Amino acid sequence: MDNRTIDVIIPTYRPGKEFRLLLERLKQQSVPVRRVVIINTEKKFWDSRWEQEFPFTEVHHIKKEEFDHGGTRRKAAELTDAEIMVFMTQDALPADRDLIRNLTAPLKEPETAAAYARQLPNASCSFVERYTRSFNYPDKSSVKSREDLPVYGIKTFFCSNVCAAYRKDVYESLGGFTGHTIFNEDMIYASAVIQHGYRIAYAADAKVIHSHNYTCMQQFRRNFDLGVSQAEYPEVFQTASSESEGIRLVKKTFRYLCVNGRRRLIPGFVLQSGFKYAGYLAGKNYRRLPARMVRWCSMNKDYWRK
């Protein structure tokens, strides 16, 4: 029996009624969660009744301008002494009662420092996004190490904080999440995990329901921030190219649409892919852009006020 303490950490922003279902499913896990530490942005949108209904919650409120993808999670990690920290987002819903059990199981291996869950599409997910989920989150588990860099490239560093578990002892020894980043705090930390000889597990049997149907402009802004994060941490992202992985996804999706008789979706897919790549390139070169344009392009506009 695994007796390690497990705390879940969730940053929230205006959580809706679906968040109550997330807490309910965490309460019902086959491996118990000790606490759910919530870092909530904008107190006036928080439903305090959840704290009475779910006593294992611990809520900390911050102002919108204080939120930072890396810094907020770093501060949250300092609030727990659990042996395993599970980071989630407010829109990731456990698919079953064994999420925590299956997610933390790989961390029993001393060389494995992190594990991330499989993301399944929700009911409203588009046809193309469903395929993207299966591309990024296949049904087969795997473990990545430094030796896999020539094979997987940038994917070696992939570890999504939509739902990921970390050993606290290794996290502290490696310095944790970076204190200030617009995006990609999970991959930046994962690169340190890999470079220091630890492994990252993908636990395909640990499943959360999580997907988005972004518009072209939302994709542009999201990928702009992705490009910014790569430009700000060249020591991480110059060791392995991400462009090749993006091209592979585009090719495989194009082929998938043709084989499955969905050619009518190809124009929209091509347009969206163009917006993604344009956003990524603009973000990689954000230092050449006027400050006003940078803020306009970014999804996380408060980042630029710091």
Side-chain angles (χ1 to χ4, degrees), residues 128 213-216 219 267-277:
V128 171
N213 292 323
Y214 287 128
T215 65
C216 285
Q219 290 285 14
F269 169 66
V270 171
L271 181 64
Q272 192 168 75
S273 297
F275 270 78
K276 283 183 180 181
Y277 191 57

Side-chain angles (χ1 to χ4, degrees), residues 162-179:
V162 165
C163 185
Y166 302 94
R167 279 175 45 197
K168 185 68 179 296
D169 58 341
V170 178
Y171 173 89
E172 291 182 335
S173 71
L174 298 182
F177 296 125
T178 181

Side-chain angles (χ1 to χ4, degrees), residues 22-70:
L22 166 56
L23 293 175
E24 181 66 38
R25 293 198 180 183
L26 287 176
K27 179 182 177 182
Q28 296 172 351
Q29 289 296 297
S30 57
V31 168
V33 170
R34 185 182 67 170
R35 281 190 306 165
V36 178
V37 179
I38 299 165
I39 308 297
N40 179 64
T41 302
E42 294 195 6
K43 184 176 182 179
K44 64 181 179 180
F45 294 102
W46 174 257
D47 190 339
S48 60
R49 291 174 297 180
W50 292 332
E51 296 172 65
Q52 282 76 51
E53 187 176 359
F54 303 101
F56 67 168
T57 56
E58 177 184 309
V59 186
H60 301 263
H61 298 284
I62 62 173
K63 297 178 181 178
K64 190 170 183 288
E65 58 270 21
E66 294 179 281
F67 178 81
D68 180 277
H69 275 271

Side-chain angles (χ1 to χ4, degrees), residues 70-113:
T72 299
R73 288 177 172 86
R74 182 184 180 91
K75 291 175 182 176
E78 295 171 357
L79 298 173
T80 174
D81 60 355
E83 293 164 277
I84 295 177
M85 303 181 297
V86 174
F87 282 83
M88 297 182 69
T89 55
Q90 69 185 57
D91 56 352
L93 185 66
D96 54 42
R97 295 182 66 250
D98 293 323
L99 168 67
I100 299 298
R101 177 190 297 278
N102 294 333
L103 181 63
T104 59
L107 302 186
K108 294 176 184 178
E109 299 296 327
E111 68 274 14
T112 303

Side-chain angles (χ1 to χ4, degrees), residues 44-239:
K44 64 181 179 180
F45 294 102
W46 174 257
D47 190 339
S48 60
R49 291 174 297 180
W50 292 332
E51 296 172 65
Q52 282 76 51
E53 187 176 359
F54 303 101
F56 67 168
T57 56
E58 177 184 309
V59 186
H60 301 263
H61 298 284
I62 62 173
K63 297 178 181 178
K64 190 170 183 288
E65 58 270 21
E66 294 179 281
F67 178 81
D68 180 277
H69 275 271
T72 299
R73 288 177 172 86
R74 182 184 180 91
K75 291 175 182 176
E78 295 171 357
L79 298 173
T80 174
D81 60 355
E83 293 164 277
I84 295 177
M85 303 181 297
V86 174
F87 282 83
M88 297 182 69
T89 55
Q90 69 185 57
D91 56 352
L93 185 66
D96 54 42
R97 295 182 66 250
D98 293 323
L99 168 67
I100 299 298
R101 177 190 297 278
N102 294 333
L103 181 63
T104 59
L107 302 186
K108 294 176 184 178
E109 299 296 327
E111 68 274 14
T112 303
Y116 64 100
R118 183 183 181 190
Q119 296 183 29
L120 302 175
N122 60 34
S124 63
C125 188
S126 69
F127 187 82
V128 171
E129 181 60 20
R130 283 180 182 276
Y131 179 73
T132 301
R133 292 288 107 179
S134 66
F135 178 87
N136 289 325
Y137 304 96
D139 58 6
K140 184 179 180 181
S141 297
S142 60
V143 180
K144 298 170 291 185
S145 67
R146 190 164 49 196
E147 289 70 33
D148 293 311
L149 275 168
V151 178
Y152 294 116
I154 196 69
K155 291 281 279 189
T156 312
F157 300 151
F158 190 77
C159 183
S160 174
N161 270 346
V162 165
C163 185
Y166 302 94
R167 279 175 45 197
K168 185 68 179 296
D169 58 341
V170 178
Y171 173 89
E172 291 182 335
S173 71
L174 298 182
F177 296 125
T178 181
H180 185 49
T181 182
I182 194 170
F183 203 51
N184 264 341
E185 79 292 335
D186 39 22
M187 288 187 71
I188 294 168
Y189 173 71
S191 71
V193 169
I194 293 294
Q195 298 293 3
H196 282 80
Y198 291 100
R199 297 180 181 180
I200 297 171
Y202 166 57
D205 55 351
K207 295 170 286 189
V208 291
I209 300 168
H210 176 264
S211 60
H212 294 285
N213 292 323
Y214 287 128
T215 65
C216 285
M217 203 61 226
Q218 286 173 325
Q219 290 285 14
F220 176 91
R221 291 195 162 110
R222 185 177 188 276
N223 278 43
F224 179 85
D225 290 354
L226 174 68
V228 169
S229 72
Q230 294 196 11
E232 292 189 333
Y233 291 89
E235 70 278 8
V236 173
F237 295 101
Q238 284 182 3
T239 59

